[in-house]
């Protein structure tokens, strides 16, 4: 009876820590997700995404960043000569500059370019930017056409932004589509989740990757899906259902590092050194990879991944539809499995010799760890650290109790 009470107290304690996302359990759970990516290794991509990189070679041959708008316009024209399906720009054109007319002309040529913009997420960041309120109003107008229609009954659990830096009005009007390219790292600084939509001035705006996927999906508009209580469950884009948490975020199912996607130097396009068929029908992501531009992110698979490759992993995830599911169902299923392991430990250790009980503990932990990895490889994220910690505590308590009694 005492053994059962000890196990029950331990189970309830760790369940509470898990459900409340309390540190350090929450931090260890995040790290265990990173371990799953490393154990799994790289996975195949759709082959639909190509990166055109502003790399060190480009800076050496074309000059330091930022480049003149005329050069960006020429790059877009050169890329479009290879007949890509879409061009996603992981670059923002926030100020008027010489050559804007050439860039506008390049953007209006095929209407296949999706532009990015940036939201401010906190007062400190906004204050440091020192942006006049009139300019902020103009930037809001520049992105307003990309906002979602009003969604009745949707609970507002999305990330709320407090400012925006958008493309100039002339450049924004030259393309049919824009999306934000903000990233929202976890508390440990690692980028595991990506918001597909956020709110700003009581409007809902889409992420750059979601807007690109909408165009890829024959122009279907993203539609938020909510449950009976108005809590967001995901996004529908045509026949594709994208599962999210209540904050509109998805776990990025990283394919691997930079080597998983074909990469071409922007300077090779500008100098006409790329074969004619490499981009036909592809989605091209244009962004910086040069270290000096400092667009580097910490991810589960890399300590310094250029932001354009984060976008590439996200977009390939949306194209392929192999999403990672971590929701209330997986959380409670993790607790149920933890309860089962606790029961087996109480039942086994109380009837076995101490050495056999330790062996049973090892077998149960190995089996549970293998199950968590197997589920992860099939798209379901279960808790690893909490059941491990709880099982060790239960086993230790039972063994000590047996030794004392």
């Amino acid at each position: 009876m005492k053994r059962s009470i000890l196990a029950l107290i331990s189970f309830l304690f760790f369940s509470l820590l898990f459900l409340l996302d309390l540190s350090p359990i929450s931090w260890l759970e995040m790290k265990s997700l990173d371990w799953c990516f490393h154990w799994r290794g790289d996975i195949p991509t759709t082959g639909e995404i190509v990166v055109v990189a502003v790399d060190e070679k480009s800076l050496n041959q074309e000059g330091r960043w930022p480049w003149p708008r005329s050069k960006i316009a020429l790059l877009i024209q050169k890329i479009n000569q290879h007949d890509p399906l879409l061009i996603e720009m992981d670059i923002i054109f926030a100020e008027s500059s010489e050559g804007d007319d050439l860039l506008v002309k390049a953007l209006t040529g095929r209407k296949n370019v999706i532009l990015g913009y940036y939201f401010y997420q906190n007062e400190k960041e906004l204050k440091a930017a020192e942006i006049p309120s009139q300019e902020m109003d103009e930037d809001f107008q520049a992105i307003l056409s990309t906002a979602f229609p009003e969604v009745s009954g949707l609970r507002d659990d999305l990330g709320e932004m407090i400012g925006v830096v958008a493309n100039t009005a002339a450049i924004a009007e030259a393309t049919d589509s824009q999306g934000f390219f903000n990233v929202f790292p976890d508390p440990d600084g690692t980028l595991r989740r990506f918001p597909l939509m956020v709110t700003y001035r009581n409007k809902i705006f889409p992420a750059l990757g979601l807007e690109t996927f909408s165009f890829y999906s024959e122009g279907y508009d993203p539609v938020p899906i909510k449950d009976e209580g108005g809590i967001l469950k995901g996004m529908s884009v045509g026949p594709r259902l994208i599962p999210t948490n209540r904050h509109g975020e998805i776990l990025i199912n990283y394919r691997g590092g930079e080597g998983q996607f074909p990469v071409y130097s922007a300077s090779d396009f500008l100098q006409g050194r790329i074969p004619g068929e490499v981009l036909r029908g592809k989605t091209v992501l244009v962004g910086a990879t040069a270290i000096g531009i400092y667009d580097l992110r910490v991810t589960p698979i890399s300590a310094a991944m250029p932001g354009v490759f984060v976008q590439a992993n996200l977009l390939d995830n949306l194209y392929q539809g192999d999403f990672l599911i971590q929701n209330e169902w997986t959380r409670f299923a993790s607790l149920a499995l933890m309860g089962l392991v606790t029961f087996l430990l109480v039942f086994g250790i109380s009837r076995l010799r101490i050495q056999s009980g330790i062996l049973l503990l090892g077998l149960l932990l190995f089996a549970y760890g293998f199950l968590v990895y197997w589920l992860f490889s099939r798209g379901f994220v279960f808790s690893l650290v909490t059941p491990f910690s709880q099982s060790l505590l239960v086993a230790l308590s039972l063994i000590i109790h047996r030794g004392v009694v």
Side-chain angles (χ1 to χ4, degrees):
M1 183 64 180
K2 289 182 179 180
R3 299 188 185 98
S4 299
I5 293 174
L6 287 173
L8 179 60
I9 292 173
S10 174
F11 176 78
L12 293 176
F13 174 72
F14 277 92
S15 296
L16 184 63
L17 290 180
F18 178 63
L19 291 174
L20 295 179
D21 285 326
L22 296 178
S23 297
I25 291 294
S26 178
W27 180 82
L28 290 171
E29 290 291 358
M30 289 188 289
K31 292 302 181 184
S32 72
L33 179 60
D34 301 347
W35 301 335
C36 286
F37 278 112
H38 286 286
W39 294 333
R40 187 196 65 184
D42 295 344
I43 58 175
T45 68
T46 60
E48 297 291 322
I49 295 170
V50 176
V51 174
V52 173
V54 181
D55 53 6
E56 302 289 351
K57 176 182 177 180
S58 299
L59 298 185
N60 291 335
Q61 295 186 3
E62 305 296 334
R64 68 180 184 179
W65 189 259
W67 289 344
R69 299 287 163 81
S70 57
K71 192 180 291 283
I72 298 293
L74 179 60
L75 177 61
I76 292 173
Q77 290 170 343
K78 291 284 190 178
I79 292 173
N80 264 329
Q81 288 175 6
H82 294 259
D83 198 27
L85 177 66
L86 296 168
I87 302 174
E88 178 184 298
M89 303 292 292
D90 193 26
I91 301 169
I92 191 170
F93 309 103
E95 299 177 353
S96 297
S97 178
E98 183 180 352
D100 276 359
D101 56 333
L102 297 175
L103 181 55
V104 168
K105 183 178 179 180
L107 293 172
T108 55
R110 283 188 56 183
K111 292 288 187 180
N112 67 336
V113 181
I114 299 95
L115 298 178
Y117 57 84
Y118 180 81
F119 279 121
Y120 290 105
Q121 304 170 47
N122 57 68
E123 290 288 351
K124 181 180 179 181
E125 186 182 25
L126 182 60
K127 184 177 180 180
E130 298 181 344
I131 301 176
S133 58
Q134 181 180 349
E135 184 177 332
M136 196 82 68
D137 293 339
E138 292 172 356
D139 283 350
F140 175 66
Q141 292 300 320
I143 66 170
L144 187 56
S145 63
T146 69
F148 285 87
E150 192 72 25
V151 182
S152 62
L154 179 65
R155 288 182 53 178
D156 189 7
D157 293 318
L158 303 177
E160 185 174 353
M161 306 294 103
I162 63 171
V164 66
V165 176
N167 298 285
T168 67
I171 292 173
E173 291 171 3
T175 181
D176 288 335
S177 184
Q178 299 181 79
F180 66 86
F181 49 54
N182 293 66
V183 295
F184 298 79
D186 284 330
D188 65 346
T190 303
L191 185 59
R192 301 180 182 88
R193 294 170 175 78
F194 205 100
L196 295 184
M197 52 186 180
V198 297
T199 61
Y200 177 57
R201 296 193 180 186
N202 298 315
K203 297 288 185 180
I204 300 177
F205 292 91
L208 179 60
L210 181 62
E211 196 71 1
T212 302
F213 179 58
S214 175
F215 268 63
Y216 175 81
S217 304
E218 302 179 353
Y220 282 104
D221 290 329
V223 178
I225 305 298
K226 61 184 187 301
D227 64 14
E228 297 82 0
I231 296 175
L232 184 69
K233 295 172 58 180
M235 301 290 300
S236 173
V237 182
R240 175 68 51 78
L241 178 63
I242 306 169
T244 69
N245 62 16
R246 62 194 302 162
H247 307 297
E249 300 167 335
I250 68 168
L251 278 170
I252 304 174
N253 191 358
Y254 283 96
R255 277 74 180 95
E258 300 173 31
Q260 286 298 95
F261 299 93
V263 184
Y264 298 94
S265 175
S267 63
D268 287 339
F269 278 96
L270 289 168
Q271 301 301 324
R273 295 190 289 256
I274 300 296
E277 300 296 319
V278 297
L279 300 184
R280 186 179 299 277
K282 305 295 186 182
T283 298
V284 179
L285 274 60
V286 181
T289 63
I291 295 176
I293 302 178
Y294 299 111
D295 184 27
L296 300 176
R297 311 294 178 183
V298 178
T299 70
I301 58 174
S302 172
M305 177 178 284
V308 68
F309 286 103
V310 175
Q311 293 285 347
N313 274 278
L314 169 68
L315 196 55
D316 198 78
N317 197 176
L318 294 174
Y319 279 16
Q320 192 147 295
D322 54 343
F323 304 109
L324 294 176
I325 308 298
Q326 186 182 44
N327 52 26
E328 295 304 315
W329 181 85
T330 60
R331 289 169 66 83
F332 284 109
S334 296
L335 291 181
L337 287 172
M338 187 168 75
L340 176 61
V341 171
T342 301
F343 171 78
L344 292 174
L345 284 173
V346 173
F347 182 81
I349 291 179
S350 62
R351 288 163 175 76
L352 298 172
R353 301 170 68 179
I354 291 180
Q355 294 86 346
S356 299
I358 294 173
L359 178 62
L360 173 65
L361 172 65
L363 290 173
L364 286 174
L365 292 182
F366 175 81
Y368 184 79
F370 180 81
L371 176 63
V372 168
Y373 170 74
W374 183 82
L375 289 168
F376 175 81
S377 67
R378 282 151 181 79
F380 297 95
V381 179
F382 275 54
S383 170
L384 178 64
V385 173
T386 304
F388 263 58
S389 303
Q390 196 264 347
S391 297
L392 288 170
L393 181 60
V394 167
L396 181 62
S397 300
L398 292 174
I399 291 172
I400 292 175
H401 183 267
R402 280 193 64 180
V404 172
V405 176

